[in-house]
Amino acid sequence: MGTMTGMLEEGSSHGKKYGKLKKDEFDGYNSDNHPRKNSPVTLDAPHLDPQMAIDHTAYDPSLSPLSKSPWSSHMNEEGSTSNDNEALIGSLVREEGHIYSLAATKELLYTGSESKNIRVWKNQKEFTGFKCHSGLVKAIVIAGEKILTGHQDGRIRVWKVSGKNDQQHKRVATLPTLRNYIKCSVKPSNYVEVKRHRNVLWIKHYDAISCLAVTEDHCYIYSASWDRTFKVWRTSNFKCLESVIAHEDAVNALVVGLDDLVFTGSADGSVKIWRREVHGKRTKHFFSHTLLKQECAVTALTMSGEGNFLYAGSSDGLVNYWVRETNWEHRGTLRGHKLAILCLAAAGSLVFSGSADMSICVWKRSLSQEHTCLNVLSGHCGPVKCLAAERDLDGMCNERRWILYSGSLDKSVKMWKVSENATAQHNHQAPRQSVDLFPIVSSLKRVGSKRF
């Protein structure tokens, strides 16, 4: 694909062609009888409906499909005796639903899947859960006291733990908010033309949300989507401040860096840098430059904890990385997978890459900025779709140890214990099963496996 030719495509999207707000996009907005409110949204539906379902139904465990199809926790108290799985400390196996998103914070693990339930785990046991009406949960991010979830229907939902009951999560907002949606809809210039000659409000993602991110001060929320845009939201009032047409194809990944920089990776094979400026009550993002341009889709991004290293995974199984101190100069490529990279995570001096080849590579970054593969974690029998890491507080005082969570399309979450003090292992692994032998779901088929 060619690069974008003008700043109009690189900047914020404004009204190009517009139309009237359709009656069925507005009437019945809060009605349970709306003909499309509870209709399933498929992965092959780029024309997602702009109507907004208000899903404040309280979570009732007895009504959850998990009551019929429970998770089971398989803990390995003494650790595995096999070389391949010596870091595996436990598994959470579910009878239904691929795992698409994870977030870990304060001893809690949030898991999102294709079901309507978001599960919360504590000490490897089910703690609580909450539900929405959209189905597939593509992204989960923790922002202080708020839990943000991004969905297949193009909406963001904001949740908060009840002050009276820490097992109860209340939905405090759905983005865009109803107030923002109505106010924006009366102005014709707020409509933009999308494919198939369709006009939508610029504040609404018209395709699935691929990832979420928040700034370090929690002032801004970023959402990236398969609709080729990323949007910026103010956390205090959940107002959409800006929409940026970032790429020529789906935006698969977005991370927020230091120096007011934002990095995006896309199915068009590029990684781009954007610079954020604040103008009064608004933000404005300016295209800086392109770090990578290739044929293979960029599928995942992650930033080191201190913000000095950027990593990008691709559908060819490679991980490229850049260094901040040399103005984001490309410093190398990590080669450890046979199939597409689906997710990345960073913790301390470690980088984790999850792949469609069902394995997780553990990389350690040296002071000379070189990377060594410490271990290959095998145990999943399906593509590894998401990763999350948190500090292991039980580690020795002179040891930096991490708990790594991995979610897979094999419907399980596994927990691994990984140390930065470990040395590279030369495991004699069994031949990896080809992903062709695993029932690939439609999310890996779409657009030549470029949207993730």
Side-chain angles (χ1 to χ4, degrees):
M1 292 184 184
T3 57
M4 287 187 285
T5 58
M7 288 301 293
L8 289 178
E9 284 295 309
E10 301 283 9
S12 303
S13 58
H14 299 289
K16 297 178 182 178
K17 296 183 181 180
Y18 56 86
K20 295 180 180 179
L21 180 66
K22 296 179 181 179
K23 187 177 187 295
D24 64 354
E25 293 178 352
F26 190 80
D27 293 348
Y29 194 93
N30 299 329
S31 172
D32 289 329
N33 296 322
H34 192 283
R36 289 175 292 182
K37 177 174 180 180
N38 298 312
S39 62
V41 178
T42 66
L43 288 170
D44 294 315
H47 52 286
L48 299 177
D49 193 280
Q51 62 86 26
M52 308 261 174
I54 301 300
D55 52 358
H56 55 267
T57 311
Y59 172 76
D60 183 353
S62 66
L63 298 178
S64 169
L66 294 177
S67 62
K68 297 181 180 179
S69 179
W71 289 66
S72 58
S73 177
H74 303 286
M75 295 305 300
N76 187 353
E77 296 293 343
E78 299 179 357
S80 172
T81 57
S82 72
N83 289 334
D84 291 349
N85 295 299
E86 63 181 7
L88 180 63
I89 59 176
S91 298
L92 301 172
V93 182
R94 187 177 176 182
E95 299 295 332
E96 64 179 34
H98 305 292
I99 309 301
Y100 286 99
S101 52
L102 292 172
T105 179
K106 298 179 180 178
E107 298 183 344
L108 295 180
L109 174 68
Y110 292 81
T111 59
S113 69
E114 58 189 344
S115 75
K116 294 182 179 180
N117 293 279
I118 298 161
R119 309 304 296 171
V120 187
W121 303 84
K122 187 175 184 179
N123 299 323
Q124 292 82 46
K125 295 181 180 179
E126 182 176 337
F127 181 63
T128 185
F130 49 99
K131 68 176 182 177
C132 61
H133 290 299
S134 72
L136 199 153
V137 183
K138 296 281 291 181
I140 305 176
V141 169
I142 310 298
E145 300 299 320
K146 300 181 179 68
I147 300 96
L148 310 173
T149 56
H151 298 263
Q152 183 74 23
D153 64 1
R155 300 174 198 147
I156 305 165
R157 287 166 175 85
V158 185
W159 312 81
K160 196 171 183 179
V161 178
S162 171
K164 297 180 180 179
N165 183 357
D166 61 358
Q167 289 187 300
Q168 183 178 2
H169 288 70
K170 294 183 177 180
R171 187 186 59 79
V172 296
T174 297
L175 310 186
T177 63
L178 178 60
R179 178 186 179 90
N180 197 191
Y181 191 86
I182 295 176
K183 186 176 180 180
C184 189
S185 65
V186 299
K187 204 171 183 180
S189 60
N190 285 330
Y191 289 82
V192 293
E193 184 181 26
V194 298
K195 56 185 177 180
R196 298 187 183 182
H197 307 290
R198 194 163 161 257
N199 299 319
V200 298
L201 291 174
W202 68 268
I203 64 173
K204 170 75 167 62
H205 285 298
Y206 70 86
D207 210 334
I209 288 178
S210 56
C211 61
L212 296 171
V214 293
T215 54
E216 188 174 7
D217 57 8
H218 297 164
C219 287
Y220 301 109
I221 301 167
Y222 286 82
S223 59
S225 170
W226 288 351
D227 65 10
R228 303 183 300 127
T229 73
F230 70 82
K231 300 187 190 297
V232 189
W233 313 77
R234 184 183 294 120
T235 309
S236 59
N237 60 3
F238 305 121
K239 184 177 181 180
C240 187
L241 303 177
E242 187 182 4
S243 180
V244 180
I245 302 175
H247 290 272
E248 296 175 347
D249 206 336
V251 183
N252 287 327
L254 181 150
V255 293
V256 178
L258 300 176
D259 309 316
D260 296 324
L261 296 182
V262 177
F263 302 82
T264 56
S266 169
D268 66 14
S270 66
V271 175
K272 295 182 179 181
I273 300 181
W274 306 82
R275 186 181 74 258
R276 180 180 65 247
E277 294 184 4
V278 179
H279 298 165
K281 296 183 178 181
R282 292 277 179 177
T283 62
K284 181 71 174 178
H285 285 75
F286 297 92
F287 172 71
S288 176
H289 61 282
T290 299
L291 289 179
L292 178 68
K293 183 61 180 177
Q294 61 183 18
E295 290 297 322
C296 297
V298 176
T299 55
L301 294 175
T302 194
M303 184 78 69
S304 62
E306 71 282 2
N308 291 328
F309 295 86
L310 173 71
Y311 299 86
S314 304
S315 60
D316 57 3
L318 303 181
V319 178
N320 288 278
Y321 68 97
W322 297 261
V323 182
R324 175 173 170 251
E325 68 179 10
T326 53
N327 195 27
W328 300 110
E329 177 188 7
H330 182 265
R331 295 302 296 269
T333 303
L334 311 183
R335 304 171 185 269
H337 293 282
K338 299 177 181 179
L339 297 173
I341 304 294
L342 300 183
C343 52
L344 294 169
S349 63
L350 300 180
V351 180
F352 310 98
S353 56
S355 170
D357 65 14
M358 300 176 286
S359 71
I360 303 165
C361 283
V362 181
W363 306 89
K364 183 175 181 180
R365 182 178 61 253
S366 67
L367 294 177
S368 62
Q369 301 175 357
E370 298 297 325
H371 291 71
T372 302
C373 183
L374 295 182
N375 202 353
V376 178
L377 308 179
S378 59
H380 282 292
C381 58
V384 181
K385 190 66 179 68
C386 48
L387 295 167
E390 65 176 347
R391 187 72 180 268
D392 182 5
L393 300 179
D394 294 331
M396 302 291 290
C397 60
N398 61 342
E399 180 184 25
R400 294 190 69 185
R401 208 163 62 183
W402 303 87
I403 300 296
L404 176 69
Y405 301 95
S406 59
S408 169
L409 300 189
D410 65 7
K411 307 176 185 179
S412 75
V413 175
K414 294 188 181 296
M415 295 159 288
W416 316 82
K417 190 168 291 189
V418 184
S419 172
E420 293 188 44
N421 296 2
T423 56
Q425 298 185 15
H426 302 284
N427 295 333
H428 299 287
Q429 301 182 53
R432 298 181 193 174
Q433 183 182 15
S434 171
V435 75
D436 292 334
L437 300 180
F438 183 82
I440 302 178
V441 294
S442 55
S443 63
L444 290 181
K445 290 181 180 179
R446 184 172 182 179
V447 194
S449 299
K450 285 191 172 184
R451 297 187 178 190
F452 295 82

